[in-house]
Amino acid sequence: MDKSNRQIVVIGAGPAGLMAAFAAAKKYKSGVLLLEKNDSPAKKLLISGSGRCNITHAGPISGFLPHYGGKDRFVKPALFRFTNTDLTKWMQHRGLPLKELHDGKLFPVTESARDVLQILLNVLLTECSPLVEVRYRAAVKNVKRSENGFLIQTANEDFSAQNLVIATGGKSYPSTGSTGDGWNFARNLGHSIAEPAPALCPVTIRNYPFAGCAGLSFEKTRVQVQHHGKKTAENREDLLLTHRGFSGPVILDLSRYIHTGDTLRIAFTESEDTAFFERQFLERVAKTGRKTVKNLLASAYLPDRMTAVLLKYLNIPDDLAAANLGKAARKTLLRYLTDAPFIVEELGGYQEAMVTRGGVVLAEVNRNTMESRLVPGLFFCGEVLDIDGDTGGYNLQFAFSSGVLAGENLHLVLYGENS
């Protein structure tokens, strides 16, 4: 057979593409050509978790389903086929145990994304040798349907394939090669694309008062998103103050629902009930009325740095005794602590976003196989699909899981069964 003719071609050597190639080679004992535009694989994986690689999350796999923005029905078959437990065992069996850090997040024991990538490459070079061929600097220019499947055109060579897996990722961190190529290929083959946008990204706030408080964080903070005055989403997670706005898990996870001009309502205290908080506050004032408002806030509610900035922002003298705080000023202060409104100036761009929302429309993909409902033999996996998960390992888990599901459902006869 001409070397340019392949039964299986996978475009994209990130986690989803690498696992699709592995699964296909192991099941079908057939040659797989993996095409990667960069000079090395999985560049985005190497920067995940600041290089530490939060590979998945702990707990039962059913607990993953609510973490994909309402796409639980679509992701379920992939996640249940190759679970977080399967991934943990898969890595451990190959010499890289995982450990739990930070509320169930699982990392390689070495806390090195490069070690995760090395395991993936070792699998292809040893367990799948010589079935998988990886070609670097092989940017795909175009994909067409052909009489026997697909024609894949690169700058230097064309390939035909019976099965094509598109695992090119989204557009976040474009410096790693994620530039939305796969959506163009999908469109050329007749697929629709849900409007892409950055996700898991920070937000910039209009007239932001806390630039001098960058780096301060609040645990389990309630943030509500309002669009044209109506609540559209709410979450409670850790909040981080930045130089221009907000970040942290609570903002990152909500970012799929946030648009420019939306209002974020934030409770900086555990109590979100302003009336209850006011009674509690007055009790403190009665006991420590000689304290200044600044000292009372700093001792009970806010970091010193933020207290000073907030009082200045609300025009409350920081040397004012708490007992002398007028009713109007008190209500303004307490309302701000329990339900502060902030207008979103803009969301972080693709350079800051961890993942991309939008992508290949899910209604056009069979969730049980990852195969196109429009084009037989065409498969999608990973971030190229209209799937974006919360922070905490959910996106990488879906990449691995969907790669396995796609790789195991190709249109091939199992080795030895074609006679």
Side-chain angles (χ1 to χ4, degrees), residues 252-265:
L252 300 179
D253 291 347
L254 284 172
S255 62
R256 66 166 68 92
Y257 306 108
I258 299 174
H259 300 85
T260 297
D262 284 355
T263 298
L264 303 183
R265 306 199 75 93

Side-chain angles (χ1 to χ4, degrees), residues 37-54:
K37 68 189 293 187
N38 291 320
D39 56 5
S40 59
K43 286 192 172 182
K44 186 176 173 183
L45 175 71
L46 292 178
I47 63 173
S48 64
S50 300
R52 298 164 64 210
C53 194
N54 175 197

Side-chain angles (χ1 to χ4, degrees), residues 131-378:
L131 296 176
V132 177
E133 177 188 358
V134 185
R135 293 203 184 185
Y136 301 112
R137 300 187 183 89
V140 174
K141 302 300 182 183
N142 195 20
V143 172
K144 300 178 181 179
R145 297 185 69 173
S146 66
E147 184 178 346
N148 297 318
F150 305 92
L151 177 66
I152 301 98
Q153 300 173 312
T154 71
N156 300 317
E157 192 172 357
D158 295 345
F159 303 93
S160 60
Q162 180 183 348
N163 292 269
L164 175 63
V165 181
I166 297 179
T168 50
K171 290 185 71 173
S172 59
Y173 296 127
S175 60
T176 65
S178 297
T179 52
D181 301 342
W183 300 327
N184 294 328
F185 306 150
R187 283 193 190 94
N188 291 345
L189 295 169
H191 273 273
S192 306
I193 306 299
E195 185 65 30
L200 294 187
C201 56
V203 297
T204 300
I205 297 299
R206 190 176 302 166
N207 300 321
Y208 181 62
F210 301 124
C213 301
L216 292 180
S217 61
F218 295 80
E219 294 184 355
K220 305 300 180 185
T221 303
R222 188 271 290 159
V223 177
Q224 184 184 105
V225 182
Q226 292 185 347
H227 186 67
H228 298 314
K230 294 183 178 180
K231 173 183 170 182
T232 55
E234 184 174 304
N235 196 10
R236 179 184 286 276
E237 255 293 358
D238 294 353
L239 175 76
L240 175 69
L241 306 190
T242 71
H243 290 287
R244 300 190 301 152
F246 301 115
S247 187
V250 67
I251 295 296
L252 300 179
D253 291 347
L254 284 172
S255 62
R256 66 166 68 92
Y257 306 108
I258 299 174
H259 300 85
T260 297
D262 284 355
T263 298
L264 303 183
R265 306 199 75 93
I266 298 178
F268 289 106
T269 63
E270 290 184 8
S271 176
E272 301 166 22
D273 183 330
T274 302
F276 173 79
F277 183 64
E278 184 172 17
R279 292 194 298 271
Q280 192 181 62
F281 182 83
L282 288 173
E283 289 174 4
R284 285 185 180 273
V285 172
K287 293 178 181 178
T288 60
R290 293 184 179 179
K291 274 190 174 183
T292 63
V293 177
K294 179 180 178 182
N295 289 339
L296 179 60
L297 292 180
S299 64
Y301 304 112
L302 297 176
D304 285 348
R305 218 176 353 145
M306 186 172 177
T307 298
V309 173
L310 177 59
L311 292 177
K312 183 178 180 180
Y313 179 70
L314 297 178
N315 294 314
I316 298 174
D318 57 13
D319 60 351
L320 180 69
N324 295 331
L325 182 65
K327 182 178 179 180
R330 183 180 73 239
K331 287 188 175 296
T332 298
L333 172 62
L334 300 188
R335 192 180 304 116
Y336 203 91
L337 291 173
T338 57
D339 195 35
F342 298 92
I343 306 300
V344 176
E345 185 70 36
E346 63 179 358
L347 281 82
Y350 287 118
Q351 297 285 2
E352 298 176 280
M354 295 181 184
V355 296
T356 308
R357 62 185 176 190
V360 176
V361 170
L362 301 184
E364 298 174 355
V365 179
N366 185 335
R367 65 192 178 97
N368 294 307
T369 62
M370 294 293 114
E371 184 177 15
S372 164
R373 294 185 182 277
L374 310 180
V375 184
L378 173 64

Side-chain angles (χ1 to χ4, degrees), residues 10-11 15-20 165-169 365 370 379-385 398-407:
V10 178
I11 306 176
L18 291 168
M19 287 302 281
V165 181
I166 297 179
T168 50
V365 179
M370 294 293 114
F379 295 79
F380 300 97
C381 53
E383 197 180 339
V384 72
L385 290 159
F398 179 71
F400 287 116
S401 297
S402 59
V404 169
L405 191 61

